[in-house]
Amino acid sequence: MTHLIRPNRRTFLKTGAALGAASLGLPAFAADPKQVNFQLSWLHSVQFSGSYIASQKGYWSDLGLDVALTQGGPNAPVEPPVVSGNALMGISAADYTAAAVAQGAPFKIIAVAMQKNPFAIASLAENPVNEPSDLVGKKIGMSVSNTPVLQALCTLNNVDINAIEIVPTQYDPAPLVTGQVDCLLCWETDLPVAMTIKGVENTTMLMANHGYSVHSQTYIATEDSIADRRADLVALLKGEVMGWNDYLADTDAAAALTVEMFPDAGLDAPTQKLQAERQVPLMFSELTESNGFGWFTEDTVAANIETLALLDRNVGAELWDRSLLEEVHG
Amino acid sequence: MKRALPIIWVLLGLSLWQAGSFLSPDSLVFAGPFAIAEYMQQNAGLLARATAATTQAAIWGFLWGNLAAVVMAALIILVPKAERFTSLLALVLFCLPMLATGPILRVISGPGDIPQIALAALAVYYTTYLALIVGLRAMPQSWPDLMAIYGRGSITTLLFVRARASLPYFFVGLQVAAPAAFLGAMIGEFTGAERGLGVLTLRAMRALDVEATWTLALLAATIAMLGYWVFGWLGKWLVGYVPVIILSPTTSVARKPFWQRLVEAIALAFVILLLWQVILDVFGLNSFFAKRPGDVWMFLNSNADARATLVEAFSQTLMTTIPGYTAGLLLGVVLAMIVVLVPNLSSILMPVSVALRAVPIITTAPLIVLALGRGPVGTITVVAVMIFFPTFLVCLQGLRQTPGQVLDLFRVYQVGRLRLLFTAQVPTMLPALFAAAKMAVPAAILAVTTTEWLATGQGLGVLMALTATTSDYNMLWSCIVVITLAAVLFYAAIVVLERAVLRIYASEQVT
């Protein structure tokens, strides 16, 4: 195997990255890229387009990784493959991770993609829910498993949850559109986007703006992986950060890439484009602007611990580990 | 005119459907035939690729599942002593909720289509197995006796006598299996498959893409119906004769003493627990999500709250399972009787039944609940719709098995149709009815838990679905144990009833 060295963007980057790795005291690349699985939390969509950019632009292969992006689904929990080592890193959320840790999984949150939790209350424009107090007397469609989430919102805003009628629904905008319920508990970035694309005028109230501080789309890895495969994790995060930085620069291109990369996923280009725009304020903030993508601080962690306690998840700051991200941005 | 009748029905249905969609334009839950045709045309490539992916997984699952059924049924005939254990194992495997098996299969297999194939196989083997068991015994005792007199072994008897006798039942089993395999493959895609109709359905429902949802449901139903008809046609073509059963005299079989059966049952339970432990250990599955028998025992023993939650959820599930089960069986039997009494109706009843069964439950359950409310009536209806179909088909086959001589005799005496049905045809249907009743036990539980998960938000279905957010895998495995135990007990009760009834009406089935 002889490689003629032709200077191009990739070798340039590779050299740069190699130097960077060397300066971090990391081992130099092996000739073959390392096969790594990265478990996503849901079906392929623009929600993970930073990773697609990293993959497509070769950010990971330049760092010596061959990353397989495994999609999730309604019957594909993230925690089992990460715990069993089938996936090196997974995408979870602070509340799910806290629950898994309480059940004995040795997880750490090593970076946070969604600074603001995407949970929102969606309602139709003619009967809007703009404040938590507007929920009183309304029928809300949601999965009963999310009752603790609503309970936490109510506690944070002094609203009596018994004054809200909970209607168990599937994760589907139809009950709201057909008038069975007045509002839905859903993500800011999916059902409301679908309604807007279909021409249904709607409004959302982001729970994160009313005290609900739970990191979402968090990157998790096991303590063992952090100890034994630290270099791979740092490289994985580094590519991820580069991908998301490109995403911020051009969300339309990210949406277009997502649709192009997954022709069998049935993705709709305008929906992906709108979703890509809508998730920017959740993922990027002053904090990430000054410290870099994925960042978290003692303060944001403390706010999380407080909200998680309302969800009956009692965790300490040791659930978060910023050291890998510090190496990435360092 | 007779040939044109179904076409007229189809055209009438289509125009009513289109008229309905004109009445509610811009509807976000309803799509008419024109909208569906337009969607199909615009997304032909996508739909073709997804259909190919799901169909391929369904076909592999169909093959493996039915192969397993044939092997198990043959084993039982050759080694009758193995029946209890094989039946129990088959039942336990069939009871495992897909919510639990899906992720585990995905962790074991990694990316690819193994979970889809495995869930499709799991969805089909049990019904085929039960149909085959009845079929392999559907012959007068004198036939195997004759073979024995000529010094032929049980293998020869199985291949040359029993296998042929079982063919009509086998093909009914395959007909039931075809839509089930397709549904299994679609649900298997929920474990993170990259392409397929199940993936697209999920996406369409969330995106409020009504045209896509209806197109996908229609496509899935059409393919499932095609499978059903292919095997019906193959059955007619290959079997080509109406089997004649000469009723045998009642034989008395000595029963083992109670204590001996009790010891056997305990031993079987022990073997199942051992298998559970060993399989998880062999695959090296992490005990965070793959709980062993000891973990579940400790969890339930030490946690009174968990026990209370489990009992409450279980009683909620039971409240809808039993009425739904009964309604589904009744519906199946009554439909089969109607078709026998008024054969002309079958050209309408058959396609409607196949369609009802074939439309994926993930899209029908919310619609039925939408129409009937979130109370028990909605869930009971979903269960009935899910289980009536195998009952209908198997009972129809049973009714048609009535020996020709008996029918001739009744006709000679000009007995009325109803009387003929109840005195001659229903008794020959009984083995089939009991097979259907057994098939329906796990299917009913599956239907209830799925509906609870997707629509009503209570019971064991929700408790299991919660695992995805709470990682409370001890609770998930406890649910599996409770469901399996309930199904086994329910099943045992039916077996007791079956023995008592068949001893009188179809003694060749009693071993």
Side-chain angles (χ1 to χ4, degrees), chain A residues 11 171 237:
Chain A
T11 43
Y171 200 79
L237 276 180

Side-chain angles (χ1 to χ4, degrees), chain A residues 44 71 86 145 168 170 177 264, chain B residues 28 49 107 193 195 366 374:
Chain A
H44 287 306
Q71 76 169 354
N86 285 33
S145 59
Q170 214 178 346
V177 177
D264 288 347
Chain B
L28 291 165
R49 289 193 304 273
V107 167
R195 57 186 65 80
R374 293 179 190 280

Side-chain angles (χ1 to χ4, degrees), chain B residues 49 72 92 121 212 247 266 336 487:
Chain B
R49 289 193 304 273
M72 281 193 297
V92 168
L247 300 176
I266 293 172

Side-chain angles (χ1 to χ4, degrees), chain A residues 81-208:
Chain A
V82 179
V83 159
S84 56
N86 285 33
L88 179 62
M89 185 166 82
I91 290 186
S92 181
D95 41 351
Y96 297 180
T97 312
V101 169
Q103 294 293 334
F107 290 141
K108 296 277 185 208
I109 296 173
I110 56 176
V112 178
M114 289 210 178
Q115 304 285 325
K116 282 189 173 182
N117 193 287
F119 263 129
I121 308 284
S123 50
L124 298 182
E126 63 258 32
N127 181 20
V129 173
N130 295 319
E131 297 291 327
S133 55
D134 292 346
L135 282 168
V136 173
K138 291 250 168 45
K139 276 189 200 168
I140 184 165
M142 55 188 261
S143 154
V144 271
S145 59
N146 283 328
T147 310
V149 174
L150 186 67
Q151 175 69 62
L153 180 77
C154 289
T155 312
L156 287 164
N157 294 282
N158 298 317
V159 174
D160 179 12
I161 191 168
N162 296 316
I164 308 169
E165 188 185 337
I166 296 176
V167 180
T169 57
Q170 214 178 346
Y171 200 79
D172 171 355
L176 175 62
V177 177
T178 54
Q180 289 182 63
V181 296
D182 302 308
C183 50
L184 288 175
L185 178 61
C186 60
W187 271 34
E188 165 83 5
T189 49
D190 49 25
L191 304 189
V193 170
M195 288 191 281
T196 305
I197 292 285
K198 288 282 162 187
V200 179
E201 279 186 50
N202 63 88
T203 173
T204 57
M205 177 190 82
L206 197 63
M207 290 177 51

Side-chain angles (χ1 to χ4, degrees), chain A:
Chain A
M1 287 286 286
T2 50
H3 283 289
L4 290 175
I5 296 174
R6 260 176 286 157
N8 59 15
R9 186 188 61 88
R10 198 162 276 195
T11 43
F12 175 75
L13 271 178
K14 221 173 206 169
T15 322
L19 286 174
S23 68
L24 287 170
L26 300 177
F29 304 114
D32 289 326
K34 264 193 201 164
Q35 165 69 45
V36 163
N37 283 336
F38 179 13
Q39 177 69 49
L40 306 176
S41 57
W42 191 246
L43 303 178
H44 287 306
S45 81
V46 79
Q47 186 186 349
F48 310 108
S49 52
S51 313
Y52 308 147
I53 296 172
S55 173
Q56 195 246 354
K57 291 198 176 170
Y59 293 156
W60 279 320
S61 51
D62 292 345
L63 292 162
L65 292 183
D66 174 14
V67 180
L69 297 166
T70 331
Q71 76 169 354
N75 200 12
V78 173
E79 291 80 10
V82 179
V83 159
S84 56
N86 285 33
L88 179 62
M89 185 166 82
I91 290 186
S92 181
D95 41 351
Y96 297 180
T97 312
V101 169
Q103 294 293 334
F107 290 141
K108 296 277 185 208
I109 296 173
I110 56 176
V112 178
M114 289 210 178
Q115 304 285 325
K116 282 189 173 182
N117 193 287
F119 263 129
I121 308 284
S123 50
L124 298 182
E126 63 258 32
N127 181 20
V129 173
N130 295 319
E131 297 291 327
S133 55
D134 292 346
L135 282 168
V136 173
K138 291 250 168 45
K139 276 189 200 168
I140 184 165
M142 55 188 261
S143 154
V144 271
S145 59
N146 283 328
T147 310
V149 174
L150 186 67
Q151 175 69 62
L153 180 77
C154 289
T155 312
L156 287 164
N157 294 282
N158 298 317
V159 174
D160 179 12
I161 191 168
N162 296 316
I164 308 169
E165 188 185 337
I166 296 176
V167 180
T169 57
Q170 214 178 346
Y171 200 79
D172 171 355
L176 175 62
V177 177
T178 54
Q180 289 182 63
V181 296
D182 302 308
C183 50
L184 288 175
L185 178 61
C186 60
W187 271 34
E188 165 83 5
T189 49
D190 49 25
L191 304 189
V193 170
M195 288 191 281
T196 305
I197 292 285
K198 288 282 162 187
V200 179
E201 279 186 50
N202 63 88
T203 173
T204 57
M205 177 190 82
L206 197 63
M207 290 177 51
N209 293 339
H210 297 275
Y212 187 80
S213 312
V214 174
H215 285 150
S216 192
Q217 206 159 331
T218 51
Y219 299 84
I220 57 167
T222 61
E223 284 167 3
D224 284 350
S225 305
I226 293 172
D228 304 338
R229 303 190 60 186
R230 196 176 179 87
D232 293 343
L233 274 171
V234 169
L236 196 54
L237 276 180
K238 193 175 181 82
E240 185 76 8
V241 167
M242 291 162 77
W244 283 107
N245 287 340
D246 288 8
Y247 167 90
L248 181 61
D250 189 350
T251 56
D252 286 359
L257 172 70
T258 307
V259 175
E260 185 197 308
M261 267 179 84
F262 302 101
D264 288 347
L267 294 169
D268 172 55
T271 309
Q272 295 299 308
K273 207 175 132 185
L274 184 59
Q275 183 178 343
E277 285 167 25
R278 285 241 190 148
Q279 64 191 15
V280 167
L282 304 177
M283 306 181 94
F284 300 91
S285 61
E286 283 171 19
L287 191 67
T288 58
E289 205 175 304
S290 45
N291 298 286
F293 176 82
W295 200 252
F296 50 87
T297 64
E298 274 176 28
D299 290 344
T300 64
V301 167
N304 265 263
I305 292 172
E306 228 169 273
T307 308
L308 286 174
L310 291 176
L311 298 170
D312 257 341
R313 303 276 168 228
N314 295 304
V315 290
E318 69 283 350
L319 180 62
W320 285 262
D321 178 354
R322 207 176 62 189
S323 62
L324 296 112
L325 200 59
E326 284 163 8
E327 283 182 36
V328 169
H329 290 307

